[in-house]
Amino acid sequence: MLYFIGLGLGDCKDITVKGLEIVRQCSRVYLEAYTSILTVGKEALEEYYGRELLLADRDIVEQQADEILKGADVSDVAFLVVGDPFGATTHSDLVLRALNAGIQYRVIHNASIMNAVGCCGLQLYNFGETVSIVFWMDTWRPESFYDKIKKNRDMGLHTLCLLDIKVKEQSMENLMRGRKIYEPPRYMTVAQAAEQLLEILQNRRDRGEELAMTEDTVCVGLARVGAEDQTIRSGTLQELASSDLGGPLHSMIISGHLHPLEVDMLKLFSGPEGLKTLKMTDSSTYAS
Amino acid sequence: MLYFIGLGLGDCKDITVKGLEIVRQCSRVYLEAYTSILTVGKEALEEYYGRELLLADRDIVEQQADEILKGADVSDVAFLVVGDPFGATTHSDLVLRALNAGIQYRVIHNASIMNAVGCCGLQLYNFGETVSIVFWMDTWRPESFYDKIKKNRDMGLHTLCLLDIKVKEQSMENLMRGRKIYEPPRYMTVAQAAEQLLEILQNRRDRGEELAMTEDTVCVGLARVGAEDQTIRSGTLQELASSDLGGPLHSMIISGHLHPLEVDMLKLFSGPEGLKTLKMTDSSTYAS
């Protein structure tokens, strides 16, 4: 059996009881380590589980899947994923490979950022399509996520923005020379994401477009959701561009229409002057 | 401290290790019991936790919140919620009441249907706004969820439909006479939800509207996600209208545009003739 086990978002003890029991009985345990990170490291997990973990980076999962599947038809192998196994990313490919090889699979779910963002008080059923914001480079500055935010805002919906993660990336030079030397990991902060959005707003304004949002639109920055030192900050896009929410991982929400209860919750996470750009549009709706 | 603890979707052991440790140390433990149900009952949880659970129905949470909060400033109280505490529903009101009473709170996240639906192979970031489908009554047959499905479909997005739950409802007669006699709980099945959608399609066709979907649109029915006997069925809306996925809880997804990997996953859950209404719209997109 191949077990896909979600680890949740915080620390060692966010694994479910069922997940932990399976981890302790499997013959091999892989830790998927390129789509997200747990606030605690591999060593802390190994100590708590009492098991050695095999790091599964992108190369291994995508190109050496056979290694992961080896023997899983006669013994149990666990594949651990931060968050939920089918949350922010998907491991469908590994499921299909397993079934093709006659190996059964089972999923042990857990919280992912896709549902845990509800902790800021914005209601999950008021969210539209989730977007990803990638690190801009000199020559590659995609703005497509802005257009999706616009569609959501037009319908009054919030947008969850997943922020870029660069783990085990090679520099262009090392990639071209075939040298397996990796850059230090990078995680986009809420401030960086807000900066890129501000630049897009200016670009669109210069082109005379009608804007989906402004520097005053209320946004929410979230850092290390589920961990002891989780930090949530609500405020205008402009305010978040100069925020410092500490270490990774960060995510950001662009608000749509807000219910009064959602506003009350966001007030818990804003400064005393926060949310003053919110305007009541009718007795049960706020917008910014 | 008031702890909001997610129980996940399956059975006793889907609670996180952290959640279980807290449950066992709290002075009082409430089980929220009106927005969802766990596949196992209260008694099974009590036995596994080794704790008595106080059932918190809608009356208690909304009208007698003080009882839940009593003493939580000096001792620990746990409030257990099936799924994630801020998942399919929200307990913001209880958070705000606690803070007003000088009581701190903490959230222990878990899987909810909002992220666990990823197990069918449809990617979570391809979903639009989530909708609720309510039981129709003789004189109240709302169709608003259809219009949201249409907006999602127009953008190529999937729609998660949460299906109605009626727990501890009074009949109109008992309500008017003030008799606290409750109807047996009812849970909408995928077949019932599909039937209502088929009727709406017919209504809209009669009015000459351009349809968002047809009887042939590929949908996914999910039952008891996360439990041992979880059942997933993919097929056309028409097929799902005559499906029997067993006991509660059920949810349904109306597909949008599909990536080939999503199609491969849905094939795992369809009959041999299933998905034959899917058409390739370009080399990397299918639609129905």
Side-chain angles (χ1 to χ4, degrees), chain A residues 198-216:
Chain A
L198 287 172
E199 197 171 321
I200 293 173
L201 289 182
Q202 197 50 54
N203 291 344
R204 303 294 174 117
R205 194 176 273 128
D206 292 346
R207 286 194 240 156
E209 278 183 30
E210 191 189 342
L211 296 180
M213 57 186 292
T214 71
E215 290 75 2
D216 283 341

Side-chain angles (χ1 to χ4, degrees), chain A residues 9-21 48 83-84 86-90 92-93 95-96 99 105-119 121-132 148 151-152 155 157 162 225-228 230 261 264-265 268-269, chain B residues 9-21 48 83-84 86-90 92-93 95-96 99 105-119 121-132 148 151-152 155 157 162 225-228 230 261 264-265 268-269:
Chain A
L9 294 162
D11 60 31
C12 305
K13 294 186 175 178
D14 281 328
I15 192 170
T16 64
V17 174
K18 190 184 283 169
L20 182 59
E21 287 181 357
Y48 182 67
D84 185 72
F86 293 84
T89 183
T90 175
S92 305
D93 192 59
V95 166
L96 294 168
L99 292 175
Y105 76 99
R106 199 164 152 222
V107 180
I108 310 298
H109 290 288
N110 210 320
S112 73
I113 191 66
M114 303 290 279
N115 70 334
V117 290
C119 65
L122 297 183
Q123 315 228 343
L124 292 186
Y125 44 80
N126 293 339
F127 279 73
E129 186 179 1
T130 297
V131 307
S132 292
K148 290 181 178 176
K151 282 184 184 164
N152 286 337
M155 293 187 289
L157 300 171
L162 303 175
V225 169
E228 289 280 343
Q230 160 182 308
L261 201 55
D264 287 344
M265 285 294 291
L268 301 177
F269 310 114
Chain B
L9 296 162
D11 60 32
C12 304
K13 293 188 176 178
D14 281 327
I15 191 171
T16 65
V17 174
K18 191 184 284 170
L20 182 59
E21 287 181 358
Y48 182 67
D84 186 70
F86 293 85
T89 183
T90 177
S92 303
D93 192 58
V95 166
L96 293 167
L99 292 175
Y105 76 100
R106 199 163 154 224
V107 180
I108 311 298
H109 291 287
N110 210 319
S112 73
I113 192 65
M114 303 290 278
N115 71 337
V117 288
C119 65
L122 297 183
Q123 315 228 342
L124 292 185
Y125 45 78
N126 293 340
F127 279 73
E129 186 179 2
T130 297
V131 308
S132 294
K148 290 182 178 177
K151 283 185 184 166
N152 287 338
M155 292 187 289
L157 299 171
L162 303 175
V225 170
E228 290 279 342
Q230 159 183 308
L261 200 55
D264 287 343
M265 286 293 292
L268 301 177
F269 310 115

